[in-house]
Amino acid sequence: MSRPADTVGRLLVRCPDRFGIVAAVSSFLSASGANILSLDQHTTATYDGTYFQRTEFALPSRDLDRLRAAFDSDVARHFAMDFTVTDTAAPKRIGILVSKIDHCLLDLLWRTQRGDLDVTVEVVISNHPDLAAAVASFGVPFVHVPVTPETKTDAEARQAELLAGLDLVVLARYMQIVSADLLAAVGAPMINIHHSFLPAFVGAVPYRQAKERGVKLVGATAHYVTEELDQGPIIEQDVVRVNHRHTAADLTRLGADVERSVLSRAVRWHCEDRVMRDGATTVVF
């Protein structure tokens, strides 16, 4: 008889740092019959810091619920841990908010279709109808929810209804401010992408402004969404060098390339449980 496939789980831990955490976690997993596949850790200070740990393990059973309950009683309470245990075989369910600019959206859908992103895109919501056909070609539901100053409250209520129960929401160049009410109603993390000119060049034509000012770097930032606009904890950033020979159209093209890659890395890392928030910053394993 062949041996049943192992369950591969991920354990994320955050707690006040103290002696014995690694030993306690490792001993518990070993006693539970789990084989540790990888273990990453970080503490914010030599003493009295905050401790973070990400562990992947193989378990010769499907009973992660029992392991989760046992870890809570045997280890987590003793060390005052916040922790999660997830099954790597269950892809994260995500929703995407977008407006008219399509490069980040199509990149995420393409990577998902190819299996490069281990997620399921449950819905794409846009405040414009322009991208309906493009999204339909990937077999993903597209919902047009118009947003105006007069309809914003009702629109966000509809968005919250469509996004309920998802693991992550991605703002793939969604050109609307997300309110605190929507953040609370959705109850899932949100990741946003923007060019790294903020706050220097704001408005509809930042790359033209950048050309006029002679910028030497074009970049992008992916961050979690908070109530404070574009101030959430940063997950990933990248830049590409430019010079006087590049036109505004070149800067726009290069910027789109960076935005795509930065956003896809941020989404992948989040969905692989590699990102842990620490106040206004992040720990990325």
Side-chain angles (χ1 to χ4, degrees), residues 63-73 83-87:
D63 200 354
L64 284 179
D65 288 339
R66 180 177 298 178
L67 182 139
R68 186 181 295 108
F71 185 81
D72 183 31
S73 61
F83 77 97
T84 61
V85 176
T86 58
D87 186 347

Side-chain angles (χ1 to χ4, degrees), residues 130-192:
D130 304 53
L131 301 178
V135 173
S137 70
F138 288 91
V140 173
F142 178 91
V143 182
H144 174 215
V145 180
V147 180
T148 67
E150 295 75 25
T151 66
K152 187 176 180 65
T153 299
D154 290 340
E156 288 198 337
R158 175 60 174 152
Q159 291 170 340
E161 178 184 343
L162 293 165
L163 298 170
L166 299 185
D167 299 304
L168 175 69
V169 176
V170 182
L171 278 59
R173 294 305 303 270
Y174 181 60
M175 310 306 287
Q176 294 284 327
I177 295 174
V178 173
S179 73
D181 289 340
L182 181 58
L183 277 170
V186 171
M190 293 189 182
I191 294 177
N192 189 28

Side-chain angles (χ1 to χ4, degrees), residues 7-269:
T7 298
V8 177
R10 294 192 190 109
L11 169 65
L12 298 185
V13 164
R14 170 185 168 146
C15 64
D17 193 17
R18 53 182 284 193
F19 294 113
I21 297 174
V22 176
V25 173
S26 301
S27 296
F28 171 84
L29 291 174
S30 176
S32 301
N35 181 41
I36 293 176
L37 305 177
S38 67
L39 190 155
D40 295 294
Q41 59 178 333
H42 172 71
T43 185
T44 59
T46 305
Y47 297 100
D48 299 324
T50 301
Y51 179 82
F52 300 86
Q53 182 175 318
R54 177 187 185 271
T55 306
E56 286 198 352
F57 59 90
L59 186 70
S61 79
R62 302 298 303 176
D63 200 354
L64 284 179
D65 288 339
R66 180 177 298 178
L67 182 139
R68 186 181 295 108
F71 185 81
D72 183 31
S73 61
D74 297 351
V75 181
R77 295 180 189 178
H78 178 68
F79 289 97
M81 290 177 175
D82 294 324
F83 77 97
T84 61
V85 176
T86 58
D87 186 347
T88 63
K92 298 289 195 297
R93 301 170 64 244
I94 75 172
I96 300 176
L97 291 174
V98 67
S99 290
K100 292 183 178 181
I101 302 173
D102 64 0
H103 60 276
C104 287
L105 166 69
L106 296 182
D107 183 71
L108 291 173
L109 294 175
W110 179 77
R111 290 176 189 272
T112 301
Q113 186 179 73
R114 285 177 52 87
D116 293 343
L117 283 177
D118 187 22
V119 303
T120 59
V121 181
E122 301 292 334
V123 65
V124 172
I125 305 170
S126 179
N127 56 321
H128 297 281
D130 304 53
L131 301 178
V135 173
S137 70
F138 288 91
V140 173
F142 178 91
V143 182
H144 174 215
V145 180
V147 180
T148 67
E150 295 75 25
T151 66
K152 187 176 180 65
T153 299
D154 290 340
E156 288 198 337
R158 175 60 174 152
Q159 291 170 340
E161 178 184 343
L162 293 165
L163 298 170
L166 299 185
D167 299 304
L168 175 69
V169 176
V170 182
L171 278 59
R173 294 305 303 270
Y174 181 60
M175 310 306 287
Q176 294 284 327
I177 295 174
V178 173
S179 73
D181 289 340
L182 181 58
L183 277 170
V186 171
M190 293 189 182
I191 294 177
N192 189 28
I193 183 72
H194 63 65
H195 60 75
S196 288
F197 297 136
L198 290 175
F201 306 128
V202 298
V205 288
Y207 289 101
R208 185 191 305 169
Q209 298 176 63
K211 172 62 178 176
E212 292 168 353
R213 292 287 298 277
V215 300
K216 300 300 183 281
L217 293 172
V218 169
T221 296
H223 63 89
Y224 287 115
V225 179
T226 61
E227 295 182 21
E228 192 173 359
L229 181 64
D230 290 329
Q231 298 297 313
I234 293 170
I235 304 169
E236 173 63 335
Q237 295 177 296
D238 205 353
V239 296
V240 60
R241 296 202 66 85
V242 296
N243 58 45
H244 59 279
R245 299 183 187 278
H246 289 101
T247 66
D250 292 331
L251 299 187
T252 301
R253 172 178 52 81
L254 292 168
D257 288 344
V258 178
E259 289 172 9
R260 280 193 290 261
S261 60
V262 168
L263 182 59
S264 68
R265 288 199 295 269
V267 171
R268 175 180 291 108
W269 294 343

